[in-house]
Amino acid sequence: MAEVSVRPDARTARSGAFPTTDAARRYRLLVAVFAVAAVLIAAGILWWDNPAPVGTAGFWRIVELRVSSVAVIAVVAICQGIATITFQTVTANRIVTPSLMGFESLYTAISTAAIFLFGAAGAIALQGAGPYLLQIVVMLVFSGILYGWLLSGRYANVQIMLLVGIILGGALAAFSTFLQRLLTPTEFDLLTARLIGSVANADVTYLPIAVPLLAVAVAALWIGGGRLNLLGLGRPVALSLGSSHRRDSILALLMVSILMAVSTSLIGPMTFFGFLVAMLTYQLADTFDHRRMFAMSALVGFVVLGGAYVVLKHAFYAAGSVGIIVEIVGGTAFLIHLLRKGRL
């Protein structure tokens, strides 16, 4: 009987992260460009329009106060970009965002109910590390129940999960709207200030909680980057390659929940920012390797959000409008992308 030989190169053949060497070179160049841009933007936030003379004690004291803004922008950029890319991979749809699962509606409902029940004291009660951690825990419990129920049953289905998330988000939004109609003008103004995504909403005391949670979630997704690559191939292909599709999907979504809870509780709702960062990352990275997309999304998110913050704060003196401008740009990009794609 003739012996069938297998070529050594066939047994060791593997696909790379990029389709061509030019794509790999382009990726490294873009990462370097965005890294330099991120450093310049961070320097602009820290040093631009500093009223104290350079090098004096007052100058460095103001720089120290502005470091918290840089940290907040970095945390939000990483959370939103990585969470959106992971969520779109699990759902196999590059149109949807984690906001569909009702995180922002839950945040709005919590803030509205607190001010409705306790007035101005409710807005004060929502500030501080304790209330911040409590909001994160509530969001994680909400998402854990949702994912565990809709993805672990006999008829587990991602589409049903999305539909239920949209319905719950709509119900929470309606509940919030009803309570907002009963608020006094002063209470409504306090609530509106909390519900506009803004770096100014963040408190430096939140960072000791936000940064460790961010590190845990990003580390878990980074280590599981290979599993996300399999999920990105689709359920049938992932199962044929030995993936525990349901388990990997639930774990990835739980990490998404942590990232979204950290970001939303930190600065408020930003519905389309994550979508904008993810869309730009797909166009620039030209790879399906999630670890490389995560690195690119963090830099892109920081440049977009940090750049908007620098321009609006120092050029137009309207730092509170950063969230509004980013949402307008992100929403416009979403509509253009949807019209070009022609379907959900």
Side-chain angles (χ1 to χ4, degrees):
M1 181 180 294
E3 183 178 355
V4 179
S5 62
V6 180
R7 294 179 301 171
D9 58 341
R11 290 179 298 181
T12 59
R14 56 176 296 180
S15 60
F18 300 96
T20 63
T21 55
D22 289 340
R25 191 178 302 112
R26 177 174 173 269
Y27 173 86
R28 289 192 291 268
L29 176 62
L30 287 174
V31 166
V33 170
F34 276 97
V36 172
V39 171
L40 293 176
I41 289 172
I45 296 174
L46 296 175
W47 296 330
W48 191 3
D49 201 23
N50 191 323
V54 178
T56 62
F59 176 86
W60 292 114
R61 190 172 296 111
I62 293 175
V63 169
E64 290 177 3
L65 294 174
R66 294 180 176 181
V67 167
S68 61
S69 297
V70 176
V72 169
I73 292 172
V75 168
V76 173
I78 295 172
C79 286
Q80 291 280 344
I82 293 180
T84 303
I85 291 173
T86 303
F87 188 79
Q88 291 178 348
T89 296
V90 174
T91 57
N93 192 321
R94 290 190 174 183
I95 292 294
V96 298
T97 68
S99 300
L100 289 176
M101 301 310 298
F103 293 107
E104 296 175 355
S105 298
L106 181 60
Y107 172 85
T108 301
I110 293 172
S111 301
T112 304
I115 294 178
F116 173 78
L117 293 174
F118 305 107
I124 298 175
L126 290 174
Q127 299 176 356
Y132 174 69
L133 181 59
L134 181 61
Q135 290 180 79
I136 292 177
V137 171
V138 171
M139 291 182 184
L140 292 181
V141 170
F142 172 79
S143 61
I145 294 174
L146 193 62
Y147 299 147
W149 170 42
L150 296 176
L151 292 180
S152 299
R154 180 180 177 185
Y155 302 104
N157 190 293
V158 173
Q159 284 70 34
I160 294 177
M161 179 195 72
L162 292 175
L163 181 59
V164 172
I166 293 172
I167 294 173
L168 291 177
L172 289 171
F175 171 74
S176 301
T177 302
F178 172 74
L179 293 184
Q180 288 169 14
R181 291 181 179 274
L182 303 178
L183 298 177
T184 65
T186 301
E187 293 170 344
F188 186 78
D189 288 342
L190 290 173
L191 177 64
T192 302
R194 285 188 57 85
L195 298 185
I196 297 177
S198 173
V199 177
N201 284 346
D203 190 331
V204 68
T205 59
Y206 299 169
L207 293 178
I209 299 174
V211 172
L213 290 174
L214 167 67
V216 170
V218 172
L221 292 174
W222 186 275
I223 294 172
R227 297 187 182 92
L228 289 175
N229 293 342
L230 289 180
L231 293 179
L233 297 175
R235 187 173 186 274
V237 177
L239 290 174
S240 67
L241 294 176
S243 169
S244 300
H245 189 274
R246 183 178 299 176
R247 183 197 64 188
D248 293 342
S249 297
I250 292 177
L251 290 177
L253 289 173
L254 288 177
M255 295 304 106
V256 170
S257 300
I258 294 175
L259 295 175
M260 290 301 298
V262 167
S263 173
T264 304
S265 299
L266 186 63
I267 69 167
M270 295 190 74
T271 304
F272 293 109
F273 175 59
F275 173 82
L276 177 63
V277 173
M279 186 183 66
L280 292 175
T281 300
Y282 296 143
Q283 299 297 322
L284 297 172
D286 194 20
T287 179
F288 288 92
D289 183 67
H290 281 76
R291 292 172 181 170
R292 289 175 171 81
M293 285 195 290
F294 289 164
M296 178 69 79
S297 69
L299 292 172
V300 170
F302 187 89
V303 169
V304 171
L305 186 58
Y309 180 79
V310 169
V311 172
L312 290 174
K313 180 178 181 180
H314 298 293
F316 298 100
Y317 304 99
S321 304
V322 171
I324 299 174
I325 300 301
V326 170
E327 290 294 270
I328 291 175
V329 174
T332 303
F334 176 83
L335 290 176
I336 293 174
H337 183 74
L338 181 60
L339 292 174
R340 291 180 60 186
K341 190 178 180 65
R343 60 183 177 87
L344 289 175

